[in-house]
Amino acid sequence: MSFASTPVTRTLVLGLVASSVAVSLFDVKHYFYISVGTHILRYHQVWRFLIYQLCYTNSSEVLFAAMSLYNMRAIEQLWGSRKYASFIAVTALFTAIIPPFLLTAVLRPLSLGRFEYLPAGPTPIIFAILAQYHAMIPHVYKYRVALSTAAPGNDDSMGLTFSDKSTRYLIALQLALFQLPGSLLGAAVGWVVGYSWRNELIPARLTRWRVPGWVVGLRSQKRNRGFEEMRRRLEGEGSGSGSSTGAASGLQQPADSDNRRRTMGQQLMDEVRGAF
């Protein structure tokens, strides 16, 4: 139960918490949500598309988002940090554009201007990861919650069946329901983008692209392995040269057990015997 072997997940959780606390301390929350009528159509602040996923604006969303990212760290362990970071980068690109575009061009006109608010936070990215978690991670066990006090039978309608993954889905579902309907739009788009990646509906050039190795610390790991191999090689050469030097100088270690190094008491007894 830790962030072992998941540096990307650790960075996401710590970065999300730090950025959300920072925008609250500096009172700049109003820069991170999107109101289509005011920010996009009137003031043309398209740059909000790029930053609205960087943080949340309330502590409840931060808590549930951090828990969701931590619960889904198994995806990084299965994929590796480099592929996981690449997936998040590509997903963030799509989710930065698609939800605001749908809100501006489709949903706001259809709702006669009532639906124009998109809340801040990486909810679309989290649901894209959740789509991978749903497809890749099997459940360990299932359990049923009875809806009546009657004796258990074979009728499935008498209870609800859950699995060990259900609590993770419920935690993520809270993010989709916090600020309806904008949060639900972001969650739906993220889920679709996640499954589009998995089903190869996204261009192959993007799904095969990988972030540079130094982003996830691969270069330092290779450097450490190189130093370790060099150290072992030098130790091997040192031990080999030490044995060859001893052989060349004639200082060989005695092999017979009787010629082993004697203790101080044995040496004193030899001296006494030699005196007589």
Side-chain angles (χ1 to χ4, degrees), residues 98 124 127-128 131 186-199 201-202:
I98 296 177
F127 270 79
V189 171
W191 184 272
V192 172
V193 170
Y195 261 98
S196 297
W197 169 286
R198 183 163 189 82
N199 296 325
L201 300 178
I202 295 176

Side-chain angles (χ1 to χ4, degrees), residues 1-155:
M1 300 295 291
S2 66
F3 288 110
S5 303
T6 56
V8 177
T9 301
R10 181 176 63 249
T11 302
L12 287 175
V13 172
L14 297 179
L16 178 62
V17 173
S19 61
S20 300
V21 172
V23 299
S24 298
L25 291 177
F26 293 103
D27 195 18
V28 290
K29 294 181 179 180
H30 54 280
Y31 287 115
F32 290 91
Y33 65 85
I34 297 176
S35 179
V36 174
T38 303
H39 300 145
I40 306 303
L41 300 181
R42 184 175 181 182
Y43 293 106
H44 308 290
Q45 296 178 348
V46 184
W47 49 266
R48 289 179 180 265
F49 290 9
L50 302 177
I51 67 170
Y52 85 94
Q53 297 183 102
L54 294 180
C55 65
Y56 285 104
T57 55
N58 65 73
S59 58
S60 299
E61 289 177 311
V62 175
L63 174 62
F64 281 92
M67 292 172 62
S68 297
L69 290 171
Y70 178 79
N71 288 334
M72 296 184 292
R73 68 193 185 281
I75 303 300
E76 182 179 358
Q77 294 173 341
L78 291 174
W79 275 358
S81 299
R82 190 177 184 186
K83 182 178 180 180
Y84 187 65
S86 305
F87 167 75
I88 291 175
V90 174
T91 299
L93 176 64
F94 282 97
T95 55
I97 299 173
I98 296 177
F101 176 78
L102 290 177
L103 187 62
T104 304
V106 180
L107 298 178
R108 185 176 185 272
L110 291 178
S111 63
L112 301 179
R114 295 181 179 179
F115 184 14
E116 66 167 14
Y117 176 75
L118 188 64
T123 300
I125 298 176
I126 292 175
F127 270 79
I129 302 173
L130 186 66
Q132 308 301 323
Y133 182 84
H134 175 264
M136 296 175 58
I137 307 300
H139 63 269
V140 178
Y141 58 86
K142 289 185 177 181
Y143 58 94
R144 176 178 292 183
V145 177
L147 299 180
S148 67
T149 58
N154 296 325
D155 189 2

Side-chain angles (χ1 to χ4, degrees), residues 207-228:
T207 58
R208 295 173 184 172
W209 174 80
R210 297 291 181 267
V211 299
W214 58 265
V215 175
V216 294
L218 292 181
R219 178 177 297 180
S220 60
Q221 293 176 5
K222 291 181 179 178
R223 183 179 301 173
N224 292 336
R225 286 196 296 267
F227 286 147
E228 184 66 19

Side-chain angles (χ1 to χ4, degrees), residues 224-235:
N224 292 336
R225 286 196 296 267
F227 286 147
E228 184 66 19
E229 292 176 359
M230 183 181 297
R231 184 184 64 81
R232 292 176 180 176
R233 186 166 60 250
L234 291 175
E235 288 179 352

